[in-house]
Amino acid sequence: MKRLLTILCVILFFISMLAFPQATFQGASFGVLLWFRTVLPTLLPFLIISNLLIHTGAIHMISKILAPILCRLFRVSPYGAFVILIGFLCGCPMGGKTAADLLKKGAVSECEARYLLSFCNNTSPMFIVSYILWQNLKIPELTLPLTAILTGTPMLLSFGFRRFYHVPVHGQSLGFGGFETNKDSPDDCIMNGFETITRIGGYIILFSILISFAGLLPVKSEIFTFFLLPSLEITTGIKMICSFAMPLNLRIIGALALTSFGGWCAAAQTRAMIQGTSLPFLPYIAEKLITALATSLLVWIFLLLY
């Protein structure tokens, strides 16, 4: 049944592309420009350097530096601390990719990888500050508190998620034991980065076309306009939410909730990054939706007190 539904959706998408060539072209053009101008220069360097860190063994040194704080706070192994660093600083889907890569190498356990995926695959602070808070919401004066909420919410929820994944009280047992770091050459690491960024670009283009098609639908529902359509892709969705004629506080809550969730395009990218591992996708989606809900609540409380 699931396979049949997927086939029907793909056929419908193909027919729509033939029936609406202009919308297809506009969506694809926007997706390519978004990927080339924003995602490629922002994410590709981190993809390459993270591969090189794992390949050269520099991850061992970084993990030792991070371990005394992050291992105790989040009950992870030293290599899990490296995933936390990448997941919070480098942007989605880097957290998911790093957790999957280290799981494949045996550096983290399956339980720990699932736990890390639940809270370590987030929007980068650079994107939050420059694109969301400054460029679209135009509230630079709230940069510090709102960035702290977006960053702190998944950290707070990690204390609940680790109960769900039965993380040991004394943390993960895996130490600094070595794993194979010499299988891939530096060129392989670079090419892996290009392969990953190309795959991400493909999803961005497809979802941009889907957004273009959705704009043709004669739907006036507020749920569709404010929630479903912007949630398809975060960059376009943030711009949509910020353009709505509604109070600023509602736009802030909506934009930050979407930022916390990441959008369905980012979810599809993450699913591609964890393929080939035992990491489940549906629990990850549920955890991101919980994080988005918690973020909305905390932002609402902050705006009431501000």
Side-chain angles (χ1 to χ4, degrees):
M1 183 65 183
K2 180 181 178 182
R3 179 177 174 80
L4 177 61
L5 182 61
T6 301
I7 292 174
L8 292 176
C9 288
V10 172
I11 293 175
L12 178 61
F13 192 75
F14 175 66
I15 294 174
S16 300
M17 291 177 65
L18 295 177
F20 303 101
Q22 185 174 1
T24 301
F25 177 79
Q26 290 175 347
S29 299
F30 178 82
V32 169
L33 290 175
L34 172 62
W35 174 77
F36 183 74
R37 293 180 176 178
T38 304
V39 179
L40 180 65
T42 301
L43 203 56
L44 180 59
F46 290 108
L47 286 167
I48 294 175
I49 196 63
S50 65
N51 287 337
L52 289 172
L53 286 172
I54 296 174
H55 159 74
T56 60
I59 182 178
H60 306 314
M61 184 180 299
I62 295 177
S63 298
K64 287 182 179 180
I65 296 173
L66 299 173
I69 298 176
L70 297 184
C71 290
R72 293 180 181 179
L73 182 61
F74 295 104
R75 297 183 187 173
V76 295
S77 68
Y79 297 126
F82 177 77
V83 177
I84 294 175
L85 176 70
I86 296 295
F88 276 92
L89 295 185
C90 300
C92 182
M94 283 300 301
K97 181 182 185 302
T98 307
D101 287 346
L102 292 180
L103 175 60
K104 290 176 183 177
K105 288 182 173 291
V108 297
S109 65
E110 180 180 338
C111 173
E112 182 177 6
R114 292 187 179 198
Y115 167 55
L116 289 167
L117 184 63
S118 70
F119 74 99
C120 289
N121 198 44
N122 304 297
T123 306
S124 70
M126 181 167 42
F127 183 84
I128 293 171
V129 172
S130 62
Y131 183 77
I132 299 173
L133 299 180
W134 292 0
Q135 183 177 336
N136 284 281
L137 287 173
K138 296 179 171 48
I139 48 173
E141 68 277 6
L142 297 181
T143 297
L144 185 59
L146 294 183
T147 303
I149 290 175
L150 282 170
T151 305
T153 302
M155 291 184 179
L156 289 174
L157 290 177
S158 71
F159 293 94
F161 292 152
R162 71 188 184 196
R163 287 181 174 271
F164 177 77
Y165 289 108
H166 305 291
V167 176
V169 174
H170 299 291
Q172 301 293 329
S173 59
L174 295 179
F176 291 102
F179 54 86
E180 295 263 357
T181 58
N182 57 355
K183 281 188 175 181
D184 300 327
S185 68
D187 286 342
D188 291 331
C189 295
I190 294 172
M191 289 307 299
N192 178 267
F194 275 100
E195 178 185 347
T196 302
I197 200 68
T198 303
R199 187 182 303 178
I200 290 172
Y203 281 105
I204 291 174
I205 292 170
L206 288 177
F207 273 84
S208 296
I209 295 173
L210 188 60
I211 291 172
S212 184
F213 288 162
L216 300 175
L217 297 175
V219 180
K220 302 298 182 182
S221 170
E222 293 182 357
I223 295 178
F224 177 81
T225 304
F226 187 73
F227 291 103
L228 298 182
L229 189 57
S231 71
L232 291 176
E233 201 280 318
I234 183 173
T235 308
T236 306
I238 293 295
K239 187 174 292 187
M240 287 180 182
I241 292 174
C242 293
S243 67
F244 292 149
M246 60 176 58
L248 176 61
N249 283 2
L250 288 180
R251 279 181 278 149
I252 293 174
I253 293 173
L256 268 61
L258 176 56
T259 303
S260 184
F261 172 57
W264 293 107
C265 181
Q269 295 168 21
T270 301
R271 185 176 183 274
M273 296 301 107
I274 65 176
Q275 279 185 341
T277 71
S278 55
L279 296 176
F281 180 64
L282 290 181
Y284 165 76
I285 291 296
E287 289 149 2
K288 294 300 288 185
L289 290 173
I290 291 171
T291 304
L293 182 62
T295 300
S296 303
L297 179 61
L298 291 175
V299 172
W300 176 68
I301 293 174
F302 169 75
L303 294 174
L304 282 180
L305 299 176
Y306 178 70

